Amino acid sequence: DAEITQSPRHKITETGRQVTLACHQTWNHNNMFWYRQDLGHGLRLIHYSYGVQDTNKGEVSDGYSVSRSNTEDLPLTLESAASSQTSVYFCASSPNRDFWNTGELFFGEGSRLTVL
Amino acid sequence: KQEVTQIPAALSVPEGENLVLNCSFTDSAIYNLQWFRQDPGKGLTSLLLIQSSQREQTSGRLNASLDKSSGRSTLYIAASQPGDSATYLCAVNYGQNFVFGPGTRLSVLP
């Protein structure tokens, strides 16, 4: 079955280190998204991509970067991890550019990142 | 600022009860509203999508209503079961981006 997978599922790192969270989907969806989920805040959009070589900043993009070299993958990089970036990170994908109209948004199982 | 709140933050009910989860949003100029379910350690799964022109949507034991003018949506779960235990999030779409609520954590006790 087609799916969306995130790795690692759990990671502990130290302040100042570079961290990359992987997201891989096998649906051939053009649209991919990264969110972070913090207690009391709901999910907030970090970055998104509508296709290869396309990347866009979301609501909370400071300290994060993404690259899209192929359709299947959208890795999220924390250039210099900070304690404020301790969170659960979710990757999502959609087959439609107007996912917001169709409701077709499929989520991975999340990556829990702890920055000490 | 567009904000979405959900009350209560947590809810515990005995099996078989009918229950209502609430979602409120500050900006009524929405395209649609979506309810998601999140199981512990898992991602979000879409339950219901209500377009701004609709008043309600139903799927099985779930019924979601929307009152745009008052900035409110409710998710009604009939005859709750232990398998309904999860966190329920609403997400309001203002155009190409969802604003998510913090969720209501539901426990249905056998």
Side-chain angles (χ1 to χ4, degrees):
Chain A
D1 287 339
E3 59 182 5
I4 181 167
T5 56
Q6 295 184 228
S7 62
R9 295 293 313 279
H10 301 272
K11 185 170 182 66
I12 300 174
T13 191
E14 296 177 341
T15 300
R17 290 192 179 269
Q18 183 181 79
V19 176
T20 296
L21 305 179
C23 176
H24 179 81
Q25 51 95 5
T26 59
W27 286 304
N28 205 35
H29 290 171
N30 283 325
N31 312 298
M32 297 184 72
F33 311 84
W34 274 105
Y35 290 89
R36 61 178 287 175
Q37 184 177 36
D38 302 290
L39 196 63
H41 283 276
L43 275 74
R44 291 179 289 175
L45 184 64
I46 305 172
H47 281 286
Y48 59 101
S49 168
Y50 289 148
V52 176
Q53 302 301 331
D54 176 75
T55 61
N56 306 279
K57 294 181 178 181
E59 176 190 357
V60 291
S61 60
D62 287 349
Y64 304 94
S65 64
V66 293
S67 61
R68 188 86 181 274
S69 59
N70 59 54
T71 301
E72 295 79 17
D73 299 289
L74 187 70
L76 178 71
T77 297
L78 289 69
E79 301 292 345
S80 178
S83 58
S84 60
Q85 294 177 308
T86 293
S87 186
V88 181
Y89 292 86
F90 286 96
C91 180
S93 72
S94 173
N96 306 305
R97 181 76 177 255
D98 65 338
F99 70 93
W100 46 274
N101 193 38
T102 64
E104 289 187 289
L105 193 59
F106 303 96
F107 285 83
E109 295 193 332
S111 294
R112 181 177 295 276
L113 176 67
T114 302
V115 182
L116 301 176
Chain B
K1 183 181 178 182
Q2 296 161 340
E3 294 183 346
V4 178
T5 55
Q6 292 185 246
I7 295 174
L11 180 64
S12 185
V13 300
E15 181 177 6
E17 267 201 17
N18 302 323
L19 57 98
V20 174
L21 307 181
N22 297 293
C23 172
S24 298
F25 44 94
T26 56
D27 184 349
S28 62
I30 73 172
Y31 281 84
N32 53 51
L33 183 146
Q34 196 162 356
W35 283 92
F36 290 88
R37 169 182 172 140
Q38 184 178 23
D39 292 288
K42 302 291 185 181
L44 281 67
T45 302
S46 177
L47 296 173
L48 290 164
L49 172 70
I50 313 178
Q51 298 292 348
S52 62
S53 58
Q54 297 175 317
R55 295 284 293 180
E56 63 179 55
Q57 278 283 356
T58 298
S59 176
R61 293 183 294 107
L62 305 179
N63 176 276
S65 68
L66 175 64
D67 185 342
K68 252 182 43 172
S69 60
S70 67
R72 295 181 62 183
S73 176
T74 61
L75 179 66
Y76 175 83
I77 302 177
S80 59
Q81 303 171 356
D84 295 329
S85 297
T87 297
Y88 292 81
L89 295 91
C90 68
V92 181
N93 174 31
Y94 291 102
Q96 300 192 39
N97 185 36
F98 286 110
V99 179
F100 285 83
T104 293
R105 189 174 69 253
L106 172 65
S107 297
V108 181
L109 307 175

